[in-house]
């Protein structure tokens, strides 16, 4: 009985790889190879990035006898990425999956359903965790002082750490589920609670990283500082050095925590998956409502979906919160950042490149919002309702574009203004940086909708699949980063013949041309594709 459930759950988690949902057929041959090659490139990019970080830390810490601290830092980073990658879909995949009622109505013990669901969450968290731990181990084997026992234990660490990722994700999902069943505004509670958890986690990790230089300067006090608040991670790092007792301590803490979490979940899963306590009781009254145009009604529908879905909101619109925070942080820490800019400019060939770096930073921040990328997929099996309404396909698509811009433009513009105030560039860049950033924001919105029309997923079971595991979201996010990096590489190839201001002006023209091309495609071919979905 377990085997079919596991097969179903894992097939659901990885369905985005093998199924072309637009054609409703499995990917085969060149299509599958090309799809896998694209994702392999994207994930290889992340692995190389984390490898460079791991190499730097390994070469800096191992000679000082701080091998365990190297594993502690990288372990915390992998834990953060693993939890961040899986925590926002735990609640939905465990308690809000659309087939919960169907499975629980069958002669299947609830613990078997729970086990299968947890395997899906585990697979997601393990995948994100390995993006950090794999390069961590590679750097350690190349640049570290590896012993035979230490190598064996180091290979066990990612497996043990993955259970800690699963434990933290499940505890958050359990707590949110328990609270939300007693409150009316569940989506708001889930969103605020998740944001609070993420903020606390990021604050803790930032505090640890900011004290790195202090810890390195006080080698004798490091162990005492870490043994307290980071006791499990201290022993995780010591285990990688070949310490048997530390491995047993770390394994005991992790597996013991997971065992307790399993007991909690097994006692609460059935009630939380089948009850709907606290739902607002509505008394329907005949009321007059203000008349709206078709465009306004569609925009309101899109906005309500975004606000009513914690998974959608947290994964695709979280940048709307981070962008203003980043802008205010620039203003607050301006005195610490300004002295570093000349040094950064010298490393990159001259201070005249700094305004381009500011523009690149602003555009990169704009990629944090990708509302349009899963917006068509989220219609799911209810897409037919939109098609029966007296609206054109373009009105539907334009409502999704307008929502993305309404969510993205104000915080992006605020962050850019803060950036210009905190780090004022030469006069031409006061106009070019905001123009480039806004054009890039529009490009992300158009490209996200383009990708979702090309690779929609309308047969999902829970909304975490189109929001977190779809090709359109992944390509939109990493594609935005790729465009920024490609434009940066192009400048360094042409900097001898183009001044920075002229180059940024040409970039604005290029971005405008790309936006116009995508806008034309969506208005012509995009509407045709949407009509036949």
């Amino acid at each position: 009985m377990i085997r079919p459930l596991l097969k179903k759950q894992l097939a659901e988690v990885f369905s985005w790889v093998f199924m072309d949902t637009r054609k409703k057929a499995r990917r085969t041959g060149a299509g599958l190879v090309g799809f896998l090659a694209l994702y392999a490139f994207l994930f290889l990019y992340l692995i190389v990035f984390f490898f460079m970080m791991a190499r730097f830390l390994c070469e800096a810490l191992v000679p000082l006898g701080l091998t365990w601290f190297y594993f502690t830092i990288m372990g915390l980073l992998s834990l953060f990425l693993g939890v961040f990658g899986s925590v926002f879909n735990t609640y939905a995949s465990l308690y809000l999956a659309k087939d919960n009622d169907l499975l629980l109505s069958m002669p299947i013990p609830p613990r078997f359903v729970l086990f299968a669901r947890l395997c899906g969450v585990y697979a997601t968290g393990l995948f994100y965790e390995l993006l950090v731990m794999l390069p961590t181990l590679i750097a350690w084997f190349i640049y570290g002082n590896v012993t035979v026992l230490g190598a064996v234990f180091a290979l066990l660490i990612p497996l043990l750490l993955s259970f800690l990722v699963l434990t933290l994700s499940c505890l958050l999902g359990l707590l949110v589920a328990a609270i939300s069943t007693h409150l009316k505004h569940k989506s708001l509670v889930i969103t605020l609670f998740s944001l609070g958890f993420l903020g606390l986690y990021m604050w803790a990790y930032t505090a640890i990283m900011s004290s790195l230089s202090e810890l390195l300067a006080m080698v004798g006090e490091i162990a005492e500082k870490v043994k307290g608040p980071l006791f499990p991670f201290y022993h995780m790092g010591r285990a990688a050095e070949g310490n048997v007792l530390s491995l047993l301590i770390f394994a005991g803490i992790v597996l013991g925590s997971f065992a307790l979490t399993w007991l909690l979940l097994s006692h609460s899963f059935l009630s939380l998956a089948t009850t709907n306590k606290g739902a607002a009781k509505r008394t329907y009254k005949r009321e007059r409502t203000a008349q709206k145009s078709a465009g306004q009604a569609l925009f309101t529908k899109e906005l309500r979906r975004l606000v009513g879905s914690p998974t959608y909101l947290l994964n695709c619109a979280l940048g709307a919160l981070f962008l203003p925070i980043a802008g205010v942080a620039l203003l607050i820490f301006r005195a610490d950042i300004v002295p570093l800019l000349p040094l950064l400019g010298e490393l990159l060939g001259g201070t005249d490149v700094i305004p381009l770096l500011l523009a690149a930073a602003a555009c990169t921040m704009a990629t944090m919002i990708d509302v349009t990328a899963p917006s068509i997929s989220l219609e799911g099996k209810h897409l037919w309702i939109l098609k029966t309404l007296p609206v054109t396909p373009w009105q539907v698509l334009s409502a999704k574009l307008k929502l993305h811009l309404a969510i993205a433009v104000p915080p992006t513009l605020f962050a850019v203004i803060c950036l210009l105030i905190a780090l004022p560039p030469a006069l031409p860049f006061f106009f070019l940086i905001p123009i480039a950033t806004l054009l890039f924001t529009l490009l992300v919105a158009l490209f996200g909708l383009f990708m979702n029309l090309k690779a929609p997923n309308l047969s999902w079971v829970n909304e975490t699949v189109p929001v977190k595991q779809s090709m359109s979201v992944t390509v939109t996010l990493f594609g935005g980063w790729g465009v920024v990096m490609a434009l940066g590489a192009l400048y360094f190839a042409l900097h001898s013949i183009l001044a920075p201001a002229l180059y940024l002006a040409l970039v604005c023209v290029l971005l405008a041309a790309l936006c116009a091309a995508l806008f034309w495609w969506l208005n012509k071919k995009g509407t045709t594709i949407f009509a036949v979905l």
Side-chain angles (χ1 to χ4, degrees), residues 462-480:
N462 67 71
E463 62 185 12
T464 61
V465 174
V467 171
K468 294 180 66 67
Q469 301 168 6
S470 65
M471 178 181 179
S472 58
V473 172
T474 304
V475 174
T476 300
L477 176 61
F478 293 112

Side-chain angles (χ1 to χ4, degrees), residues 266-407:
S266 60
H267 282 85
S268 63
F269 175 72
L270 185 60
S271 61
L272 289 173
T274 57
T275 57
N276 188 28
K277 299 176 182 178
K281 294 183 179 179
R282 299 180 182 272
T283 302
Y284 291 94
K285 299 179 181 179
R286 185 176 179 179
E287 298 179 352
R288 290 182 178 273
T289 58
Q291 185 175 2
K292 295 181 180 179
S293 66
Q296 291 174 328
L298 288 170
F299 178 83
T300 302
K301 179 190 82 70
E302 295 295 330
L303 181 60
R304 286 178 176 175
R305 168 178 288 146
L306 177 67
V307 175
S309 170
T311 304
Y312 189 19
L313 186 64
L314 289 168
N315 286 279
C316 296
L318 194 59
L321 175 64
F322 284 164
L323 282 166
I325 293 175
V328 173
L330 278 175
L331 295 175
I332 295 174
F333 299 105
R334 176 184 180 277
D336 298 322
I337 298 174
V338 170
L340 300 177
L341 294 181
L343 178 60
L344 181 60
E346 291 178 5
L347 292 174
L348 296 174
T351 56
D352 57 346
V353 78
I354 291 177
L356 294 181
L357 291 177
L358 299 180
C363 290
T364 302
M365 289 191 296
T367 63
M368 298 172 64
I369 302 174
D370 54 353
V371 172
T372 55
S375 59
I376 295 173
S377 296
L378 285 171
E379 299 293 344
K381 297 179 180 179
H382 301 291
L383 181 64
W384 65 271
I385 297 177
L386 276 178
K387 292 186 174 183
T388 61
L389 297 176
V391 294
T392 64
W394 175 243
Q395 286 177 307
V396 175
L397 297 181
S398 61
K400 298 178 185 298
L401 283 174
K402 290 175 182 177
L403 177 65
H404 183 114
L405 296 177
I407 297 296

Side-chain angles (χ1 to χ4, degrees), residues 348 353 356 485-498 503:
L348 296 174
V353 78
L356 294 181
M485 289 188 293
L487 292 174
L490 182 62
Y491 170 75
F492 285 107
L494 302 175
H495 73 283
S496 60
I497 60 175
L498 287 178
Y503 178 76

Side-chain angles (χ1 to χ4, degrees), residues 92-413:
S93 60
L94 283 179
Y95 303 112
L96 296 183
K98 290 185 176 180
D99 58 349
N100 267 345
D101 291 340
L102 176 62
L103 291 177
L104 294 174
S105 66
M106 297 179 179
I108 302 175
R111 65 179 182 277
F112 288 1
V113 179
L114 174 62
F115 179 77
R117 297 280 190 230
L118 287 180
C119 286
V121 177
Y122 175 82
T124 303
L126 177 63
F127 176 78
Y128 284 103
E129 179 219 332
L130 287 178
L131 289 177
V132 178
M133 288 307 297
L134 183 61
T136 298
L137 294 178
I138 294 174
W140 163 241
F141 288 135
I142 296 175
Y143 304 104
N145 299 322
V146 186
T147 64
V148 175
L149 197 58
V152 175
F153 290 173
L155 292 174
L156 291 175
I157 285 175
L159 297 178
L160 292 171
L161 194 61
S162 62
F163 282 96
L164 189 57
V165 171
L166 178 62
T167 298
L168 291 177
S169 299
C170 290
L171 286 177
L172 178 63
L174 175 64
L175 189 56
V176 171
I179 295 175
S180 65
T181 54
H182 292 83
L183 296 175
K184 295 181 180 181
H185 305 290
K186 298 181 181 181
S187 298
L188 179 61
V189 172
I190 296 169
T191 302
L192 293 178
F193 192 88
S194 300
L195 287 174
F197 171 82
L198 179 61
L200 179 62
Y201 201 107
M202 292 184 68
W203 171 83
Y205 185 77
T206 302
I208 294 168
M209 293 302 293
S210 64
S211 62
L212 177 60
S213 59
E214 177 186 351
L215 293 175
L216 290 176
M218 300 182 296
V219 178
E221 301 179 18
I222 291 177
E224 296 302 323
K225 285 180 176 290
V226 177
K227 284 180 180 178
L230 299 177
F231 181 79
F233 296 97
Y234 167 77
H235 284 286
M236 181 190 73
R238 291 299 308 274
E241 296 179 311
N243 190 307
V244 178
L245 179 59
S246 290
L247 178 68
L248 294 176
I249 292 174
F250 179 63
I253 292 174
V254 171
L255 298 179
S257 300
F258 175 70
L260 292 175
T261 302
W262 168 261
L263 290 176
L264 286 173
L265 289 173
S266 60
H267 282 85
S268 63
F269 175 72
L270 185 60
S271 61
L272 289 173
T274 57
T275 57
N276 188 28
K277 299 176 182 178
K281 294 183 179 179
R282 299 180 182 272
T283 302
Y284 291 94
K285 299 179 181 179
R286 185 176 179 179
E287 298 179 352
R288 290 182 178 273
T289 58
Q291 185 175 2
K292 295 181 180 179
S293 66
Q296 291 174 328
L298 288 170
F299 178 83
T300 302
K301 179 190 82 70
E302 295 295 330
L303 181 60
R304 286 178 176 175
R305 168 178 288 146
L306 177 67
V307 175
S309 170
T311 304
Y312 189 19
L313 186 64
L314 289 168
N315 286 279
C316 296
L318 194 59
L321 175 64
F322 284 164
L323 282 166
I325 293 175
V328 173
L330 278 175
L331 295 175
I332 295 174
F333 299 105
R334 176 184 180 277
D336 298 322
I337 298 174
V338 170
L340 300 177
L341 294 181
L343 178 60
L344 181 60
E346 291 178 5
L347 292 174
L348 296 174
T351 56
D352 57 346
V353 78
I354 291 177
L356 294 181
L357 291 177
L358 299 180
C363 290
T364 302
M365 289 191 296
T367 63
M368 298 172 64
I369 302 174
D370 54 353
V371 172
T372 55
S375 59
I376 295 173
S377 296
L378 285 171
E379 299 293 344
K381 297 179 180 179
H382 301 291
L383 181 64
W384 65 271
I385 297 177
L386 276 178
K387 292 186 174 183
T388 61
L389 297 176
V391 294
T392 64
W394 175 243
Q395 286 177 307
V396 175
L397 297 181
S398 61
K400 298 178 185 298
L401 283 174
K402 290 175 182 177
L403 177 65
H404 183 114
L405 296 177
I407 297 296
V409 169
T412 301
L413 194 57

